[in-house]
Structure formats: structure tokens, C-alpha cells
Amino acid sequence: MLGENRRNLQFFEASSMRELYDYMRNWQEANHKRLLSISIQEDAGKFCCIALTNPTEVVITSEDGKRHADVTSTGYLCTL
């Protein structure tokens, strides 16, 4: 899982907004990931998008960072 979380920057490019949308939607479905934020700009006559994917892991900690939360096998949140 750590390897999946190391690279969350993606680049997409297409000749039209419709094509860019379809390309990004297909990428999401194929990779089972959501896009956290996107920025679309026109560059050299193409529509380009830089996107960040959601991290695959999130660590919830106490304010001081010393205690971590975990989810039990029954779905409850507990402190480690």
C-alpha cells in the first residue's frame, strides 16, 4: 500500500474537453482512485490537466502526534 501512496500526481492531456473528461473518467475507473483536486489549462492547443489523487492511507493522530487511531475489525474507531 505504501508504494501506491508515494505518487499521487497525475497528468492528462487531450485535444478537447470532452476527450479529456472521458480520459480522466476512464483512468479513475481503471485505477479505482478518486481525484482530490484538478487544474485544467490550455497548452499548445491541447487541454492539459494536473491532478492529485486521494491518498490510499490516512493516519489520524492526537494533537501531539504520539497516539494513533485505528479501526477495529468490527468497524469501531479506537486509540492505539
Side-chain angles (χ1 to χ4, degrees):
M1 183 184 304
L2 289 177
E4 292 178 14
N5 207 31
R6 290 192 179 155
R7 292 188 177 91
N8 68 334
L9 184 64
Q10 301 295 324
F11 179 80
F12 304 96
E13 133 182 290
S15 58
S16 70
M17 281 296 286
R18 169 54 75 186
E19 186 181 340
L20 181 63
Y21 169 80
D22 289 339
Y23 183 53
M24 292 170 67
R25 184 174 45 89
N26 290 337
W27 182 91
Q28 282 187 294
E29 290 176 8
N31 291 280
H32 307 286
K33 289 189 179 185
R34 293 183 296 158
L35 298 174
L36 179 63
S37 66
I38 62 171
S39 176
I40 298 172
Q41 300 288 324
E42 191 172 356
D43 183 35
K46 292 191 174 189
F47 293 93
C48 301
C49 174
I50 293 178
L52 293 175
T53 60
N54 276 344
T56 54
E57 63 185 41
V58 173
V59 178
I60 300 170
T61 65
S62 60
E63 246 181 78
D64 60 9
K66 293 182 180 177
R67 293 183 315 277
H68 292 43
D70 193 20
V71 179
T72 67
S73 60
T74 55
Y76 289 99
L77 190 63
C78 65
T79 310
L80 297 178

